[in-house]
Amino acid sequence: MSGLFLSLEGIDGAGKSSHIDALEALFRAHGRQVVRTREPGGTPLAETLRSLVLDQPMDPLTESLLVFAARRDHVVQVIAPALARGDVVLCDRFTDATFAYQGGGRGFDLDVLATLERWVQWGAAEAEVLLQPAITLWFDLPAEVAAERLAGARVPDRFESQPLEFFRRVAAGYAARAAQSDRFARIDAGQSRDQVWQQVLIALHQRKLIA
């Protein structure tokens, strides 16, 4: 059985993380082994880099380099081995987040990000291809609604404390990234939790990822 790589994307407050439990249960019910992970993070080294990215001030290039360094370790240590075993990998954010947050939000050079993407992900799964998710569930939500959901929820990190305009740019970055690839399944995250989950199920069925 071949491995299956799924990523969940969206701005902070879109609600993507709340559906990972249900996704894991769904695939396990279909007899699959599941690896749940996140970015930045997923390995001890990547989690250390995550804490730096979320908490320490830095310029956009440094931020991007740290994110991709964490991603490389994550891919080599966790994602590629899991796919080789035939597991399902559920990843809370992947490279699309970098294009949305560092590219869209920070306004960093997309060509540089694309170069880093190739360096980190080309041939990472023992094939001469760029490692990407089979499907990306994009939880799309207006920045204003996301901000209302996050208000007072927890102490914000360096990204969550950004102004609303930053998240508008991030949302636009996701939309631009989605327009470039048919692996994206847009989920209207403004609906109820049950309605959002039904959209997820429909997307998986349409891609024939579940029976």
Side-chain angles (χ1 to χ4, degrees), residues 2-210:
S2 60
L4 178 60
F5 184 16
L6 293 85
S7 63
L8 293 82
E9 296 283 358
I11 63 175
D12 296 277
K16 58 183 172 50
S17 301
S18 65
H19 292 280
I20 292 183
D21 285 344
L23 280 168
E24 179 180 9
L26 176 68
F27 282 106
R28 289 194 184 279
H30 282 76
R32 303 298 298 267
Q33 296 296 312
V34 179
V35 172
R36 288 174 52 165
T37 190
R38 68 176 182 176
E39 288 216 345
T43 71
L45 172 59
E47 290 291 337
T48 298
L49 295 176
R50 174 190 178 91
S51 66
L52 294 175
V53 169
L54 294 184
D55 298 329
Q56 298 299 317
M58 60 189 71
D59 73 348
L61 174 56
T62 303
E63 191 174 276
S64 300
L65 289 171
L66 288 178
V67 167
F68 272 107
R71 179 164 299 127
R72 178 62 183 179
D73 193 60
H74 188 208
V75 166
V76 171
Q77 301 294 336
V78 175
I79 296 176
L83 295 176
R85 292 192 303 265
D87 295 349
V88 174
V89 176
L90 301 177
C91 193
D92 188 345
R93 296 204 171 109
F94 194 59
T95 309
D96 301 309
T98 309
F99 280 82
Y101 277 81
Q102 281 71 48
R106 302 289 193 210
F108 189 64
D109 192 321
L110 297 179
D111 289 336
V112 174
L113 295 181
T115 297
L116 293 171
E117 180 183 34
R118 288 192 298 273
W119 286 356
V120 167
Q121 293 161 234
W122 183 263
E126 298 184 358
E128 290 302 306
V129 296
L130 190 71
L131 175 65
Q132 293 285 21
I135 183 173
T136 295
L137 299 170
W138 169 36
F139 292 77
D140 188 21
L141 188 70
E144 295 81 0
V145 178
E148 291 175 4
R149 290 183 179 180
L150 285 175
R154 56 181 178 268
V155 177
D157 60 37
R158 198 165 63 88
F159 288 89
E160 293 169 339
S161 61
Q162 292 295 309
L164 185 61
E165 184 54 39
F166 174 83
F167 289 102
R168 291 195 181 106
R169 295 195 300 270
V170 171
Y174 271 124
R177 184 79 165 163
Q180 298 171 2
S181 175
D182 59 6
R183 64 181 165 80
F184 277 78
R186 180 185 175 274
I187 307 297
D188 181 357
Q191 298 187 20
S192 71
R193 183 188 178 98
D194 287 343
Q195 290 173 320
V196 169
W197 177 242
Q198 288 304 312
Q199 292 179 73
V200 170
L201 290 177
I202 290 170
L204 296 177
H205 279 292
Q206 287 178 338
R207 308 295 177 98
K208 296 181 169 49
L209 298 179
I210 57 173

